[in-house]
């Protein structure tokens, strides 16, 4: 068993045993090699289930909203991306810093099951474990080692903050930022931007046409933390329930604008979208524009900073007076 | 029994498209889903689960049930009589075919849903047997044979370089006649190869769970503390319900402008807060716990109780693969008492 | 040819009567003058106001009064607010009847105790008038009814004038809040019930009201010795189709729109507590 998992278990067990927290959010393994859902650990003895493996991806931060309602203090394990979600909730006044005990986990990237399935027959895979910079793939008929970097999730390839930006304890040494992320971060946006405007519309229409309005993107997003969402409102109903392309665009574009300047690029919306809609391209497009008009800004790095779209500055480009 | 070389499938599809609107699994961007056949767009006959199950052809995510004019006089126009253009579905998997018979129990029971019935009547299903289950497949749990699809009009079996096609209904036989020009007679050798593929298909399951006695067991599990633990991970999205080939709950909504409008039926999900929220404010399922419980109890207890013991699940594995937080029916079957052997 | 079960019939609102500050009773007749449909007391119908929407309401008229349907509707949401704005002559859509209705044959020959609160007199009224119109078929009838205040008593004329005049029939009213124009009982329905303490022998009770009232009335009835088989109530859930397909009004394996809304306490005890 990896030492990373052991460190998680020890930290959680200790925090629960001495009563610093009454709940710890981490990850555990489930039935399949690629399943590492969030675990809710409420007693030191239950900490054994915790695991940190190539698939401990899901951002546990949004669960803090409900968890802190019935627990005075909650422990949470966060990767770099997850930690920025905590700053998101702090800055949006949806969480108090003293309500959470943050265990930081420097992370050099998580594995994409689809990339692994493309190389190894899925039926034969029993376990995929991280060993240093390699993935150890245990198969029904043997095992193989491959470079973990070749199997990274798309979102990890563009990650600029692999180390937690807010934490109480760091469980191991920080890791280096991947080379070339500043280019890869906007590569897809640039490629879409190069399309002619009609072609660009066709592209997005085709993507949004697949949207089934399951709202997984919104529900998973720590920046979507409104107590009640306008799109759920029945009176007046802003969003029809029928699967109509105009309404879907209405939903997706308004959501993108609502998280603009607050999206901290965890990429979970895109990763979990069952329809494979490249949502991160929209979020990053808005980040590009914010950088251009308001100066470079990355959300979720500092809960005390002044977000460009949440702060008025005299030198901001004028908008209202230009007719 | 007839057959066709896989290299000649474009010809087959061209003929089929002359018989009705032909839909088959096609990859678009990263997603494989049933789409209208187009010359030169390759079909994907390898992927087992399409993004959406073919229920969308019978029970579309959005459909007009009623049109109205409400100016001087109120006039109501039944929209169901327009439903049901001649449609051919190619490559429907056995689990999804079986799911339609469960859907029938809801929509073809009295009072019969006319739009659904018309679509069912005017659609020909050409099922494609599976050669090897995926890791998330557990159709066998519900006695579905991955090499057979008794509810389909035609069954195609991939024997390697050819598809061998058998008619299983009158509609299927009629279609075979229309396809005479492109199909060849199958040989006794083909028959043996088909049997081999079918037998092998049932052997590769990685996921073996049993639902034997589960509905009865769940009779007493409504108040179980199990649900208190299970739901916490749920983010209340509609992925599991919308991707499920047996989920059938809907909402009715109005779309109107000026003096005319439409009443539209659209998919709804028991995972959503407003699903049972009443106008006066009362909600009998106030938290996600009750909603998660409702979904699994509906599939594994209420539906069997209403429909002669049949579970509202066909083991396609879409929810297992797609749930963002890995909260799926397989877990509930395992943990609520379905016997486990294998992985 | 089969028809679309979600397709309403066109009907005309022929009369709108204000009952209380937030309740109106609508009389509805078929646009072509025929009968819309036959129904039993306690059954419901889907009422559509175009283009606002559709919802299920219990039919408050009795099938013994031929030629029309009546719905008593409280203003609570978007649709009911819009309904409160319509006038006589408005065309609406109606489909039904839905649900099981009250077991009128089971009730025959027995003494009846009706217990109602607020707008939930609506389904009871259908049965009360049915029984009183077939007076010889039923034993003594007692009606206990409560509202928030004297202004909130629905069907005031029947409660105060018509029903008490009928032989072997008693009406017992209570309000939650005292007011100058009220010299009757003040207090909640369950307490009033215990105070009146009607003996359970030979009696069947039918209770309709807000969930909290039903809860305490059922407790009181149990305390007073009523058997679960002789305690009848109605449930309310959000419904979209009324025909057991849209999948949201179930309690356990029973769809309230088909198997309900009328249940005996004995039946309810067999169902999960989710209402």
């Amino acid at each position: 068993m990896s030492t990373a998992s052991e460190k998680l278990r020890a930290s959680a067990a200790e925090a629960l045993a001495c009563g610093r927290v009454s709940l710890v959010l981490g990850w555990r393994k489930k039935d399949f090699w690629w399943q590492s859902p969030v675990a809710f650990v409420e007693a030191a003895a239950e900490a054994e289930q915790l695991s940190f493996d190539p698939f401990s991806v899901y951002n546990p931060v949004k669960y803090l909203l409900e968890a802190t309602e019935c627990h005075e203090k909650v422990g949470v394990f966060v990767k770099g991306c997850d930690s920025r979600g905590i700053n998101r909730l702090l800055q949006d006044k949806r969480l108090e810093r003293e309500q959470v005990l943050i265990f930081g986990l420097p992370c050099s990237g998580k594995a994409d099951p689809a990339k692994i399935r493309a190389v190894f027959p899925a039926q034969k895979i029993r376990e995929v474990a991280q060993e240093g910079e390699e993935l150890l793939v245990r198969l029904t008929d043997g095992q193989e080692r491959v470079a973990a970097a070749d199997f990274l999730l798309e979102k990890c390839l563009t990650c600029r903050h692999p180390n937690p930006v807010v934490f109480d304890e760091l469980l191991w040494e920080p890791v280096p930022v991947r080379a070339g992320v500043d280019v890869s971060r906007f590569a897809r946006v640039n490629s879409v931007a190069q399309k002619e405007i009609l072609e660009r519309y066709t592209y997005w229409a085709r993507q949004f046409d697949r949207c089934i309005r399951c709202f997984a993107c919104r529900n998973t997003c720590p920046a979507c933390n409104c107590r009640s969402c306008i799109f759920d409102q029945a009176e007046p109903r802003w969003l029809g329930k029928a699967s109509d392309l105009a309404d879907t665009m209405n939903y997706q574009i308004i959501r993108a604008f609502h998280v603009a300047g607050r999206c901290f690029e965890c990429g979970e919306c895109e990763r979990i979208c069952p329809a494979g809609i490249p949502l991160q391209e929209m979020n990053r497009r808005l980040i590009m524009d914010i950088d251009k008009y308001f100066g470079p800004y990355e959300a979720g790095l500092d809960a005390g900073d002044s977000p460009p779209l949440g702060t008025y500055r005299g030198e901001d480009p004028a908008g209202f007076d230009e007719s | 029994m007839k057959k066709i070389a896989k290299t000649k499938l474009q010809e087959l599809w061209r003929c089929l498209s002359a018989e009705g609107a032909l839909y088959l699994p096609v990859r678009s961007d990263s997603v494989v889903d049933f789409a209208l056949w187009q010359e030169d767009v390759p079909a994907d006959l390898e992927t087992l689960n399409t993004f959406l199950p073919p229920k969308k052809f019978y029970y579309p995510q959005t459909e007009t049930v009623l049109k109205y004019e409400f100016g001087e006089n109120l006039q109501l126009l039944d929209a169901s009589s327009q439903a049901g253009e001649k449609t051919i579905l190619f490559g429907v998997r056995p689990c999804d075919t079986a799911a339609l018979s469960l859907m029938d129990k809801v929509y073809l029971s009295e009072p019969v849903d006319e739009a659904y019935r018309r679509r069912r009547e005017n659609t020909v299903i050409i099922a494609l047997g599976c050669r090897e289950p995926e890791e998330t497949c557990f159709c066998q749990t519900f006695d579905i044979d991955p090499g057979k699809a008794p509810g389909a009009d035609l069954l195609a079996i991939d024997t390697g370089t050819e598809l061998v096609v058998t008619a299983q209904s009158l509609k299927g036989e009629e279609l075979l006649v229309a396809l005479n020009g492109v199909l060849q007679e199958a040989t006794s050798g083909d028959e043996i190869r088909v049997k081999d593929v079918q037998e092998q298909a049932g052997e590769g399951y990685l996921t073996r769970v049993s639902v034997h006695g589960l509905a009865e067991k769940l009779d007493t599990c409504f108040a179980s503390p199990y649900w208190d633990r299970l739901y916490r991970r749920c983010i209340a999205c509609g992925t599991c319900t919308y991707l499920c080939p047996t989920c059938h709950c809907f909402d009715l909504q109005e779309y109107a402008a000026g003096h005319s409008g439409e009443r539209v039926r659209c998919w709804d999900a028991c995972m959503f807060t407003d699903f049972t929220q009443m106008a006066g404010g009362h909600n009998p399922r106030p938290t996600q716990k009750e909603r998660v419980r409702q979904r699994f109890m509906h599939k594994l207890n209420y539906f069997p109780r209403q429909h002669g013991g049949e579970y509202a699940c066909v083991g396609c594995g879409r929810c297992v693969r797609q749930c963002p937080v890995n909260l799926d029916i397989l877990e509930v079957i395992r943990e609520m008492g379905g016997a486990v052997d294998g992985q | 040819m089969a028809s679309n079960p979600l397709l309403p019939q066109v009907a005309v609102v022929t009369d709108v009567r204000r009952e209380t500050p937030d309740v109106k009773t609508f009389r509805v007749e078929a646009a072509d003058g025929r009968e819309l449909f036959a129904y039993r007391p306690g059954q419901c119908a889907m009422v559509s106001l175009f283009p606002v929407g559709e919802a299920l309401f219990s039919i408050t008229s009795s099938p013994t009064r031929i030629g029309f349907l009546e719905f008593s509707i409280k203003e609570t949401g978007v649709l009911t607010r819009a309904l409160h704005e319509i006038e006589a002559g408005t065309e609406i859509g109606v489909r039904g009847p839905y649900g099981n209705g009250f077991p009128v044959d089971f009730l025959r020959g027995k003494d009846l105790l009706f217990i109602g609160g607020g707008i939930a007199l609506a389904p009871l009224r259908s049965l009360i008038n049915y029984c009183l119109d077939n007076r010889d078929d039923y034993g003594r009838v007692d009606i206990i009814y409560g509202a928030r205040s004297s202004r909130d008593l629905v069907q005031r004329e029947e409660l105060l004038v018509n029903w008490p005049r009928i032989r072997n029939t008693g009406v017992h009213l209570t309000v939650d809040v005292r007011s100058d124009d009220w010299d009757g009982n003040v207090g909640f329905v369950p307490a009033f019930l215990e105070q009146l303490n009607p003996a359970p022998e030979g009696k069947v009770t039918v209770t309709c009201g807000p969930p909290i009232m039903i809860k305490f009335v059922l407790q009181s009835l149990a305390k007073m010795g009523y058997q679960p088989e002789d305690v009848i109530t109605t449930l309310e859930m959000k419904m979209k189709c009324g025909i057991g397909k849209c999948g949201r009004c179930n309690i356990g394996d029973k769809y309230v729109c088909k198997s309900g809304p009328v249940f005996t306490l004995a039946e309810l005890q067999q169902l999960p507590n989710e209402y």
Side-chain angles (χ1 to χ4, degrees), chain B residues 74 106 250-251 274 285, chain C residues 91 238 240 245 248 250:
Chain B
L74 178 62
V106 176
F250 63 79
D251 194 359
D274 70 344
R285 297 184 201 132
Chain C
E91 287 183 308
K238 182 170 175 175
K240 283 289 176 173
K245 300 191 196 292
R248 73 193 65 223
N250 70 295

Side-chain angles (χ1 to χ4, degrees), chain C residues 32-89:
Chain C
D32 56 10
R34 289 179 307 172
E35 195 186 8
L36 281 161
F37 45 72
Y39 64 97
R40 296 188 296 277
Q43 284 193 299
C44 306
M46 279 283 180
V47 174
S48 287
L49 179 62
F50 300 95
V52 186
E54 186 181 51
L56 193 84
F57 297 97
S58 58
I59 304 168
T60 194
S61 50
S62 162
T64 47
R65 318 277 170 97
I66 298 184
F68 58 86
L69 301 177
E70 278 185 345
F71 301 94
S72 286
I73 295 174
K74 181 174 166 172
E75 200 180 322
T76 46
V78 184
L79 177 66
T80 51
R81 193 170 313 135
L83 281 168
H84 270 241
E85 280 168 19
I86 66 172
E87 291 167 359

Side-chain angles (χ1 to χ4, degrees), chain A residues 247-303:
Chain A
D247 256 355
T248 296
M249 288 192 174
N250 166 28
Y251 161 66
Q252 293 287 6
I253 293 170
I254 287 179
R255 196 184 91 81
F257 270 91
H258 195 198
V259 300
R262 305 192 310 115
C263 165
F264 54 91
E265 301 177 72
C266 73
E268 283 293 86
C269 51
E270 176 173 303
R271 184 183 69 89
I272 66 169
C273 174
I277 302 171
L279 296 164
Q280 192 67 336
E281 286 169 20
M282 257 199 314
N283 295 328
R284 286 234 164 95
R285 168 76 218 193
L286 287 165
I287 288 168
M288 260 173 102
D289 286 350
I290 288 172
D291 286 356
K292 180 176 163 191
Y293 293 110
F294 300 90
Y297 176 76
E298 285 184 279
L301 294 186
D302 173 5

Side-chain angles (χ1 to χ4, degrees), chain C residues 255-272:
Chain C
Y255 283 116
V256 173
C257 68
K258 288 190 89 167
S259 306
V262 178
F263 294 92
T264 65
L265 181 56
E267 287 167 332
L268 282 188
Q269 285 166 346
Q270 300 299 311
L271 293 175

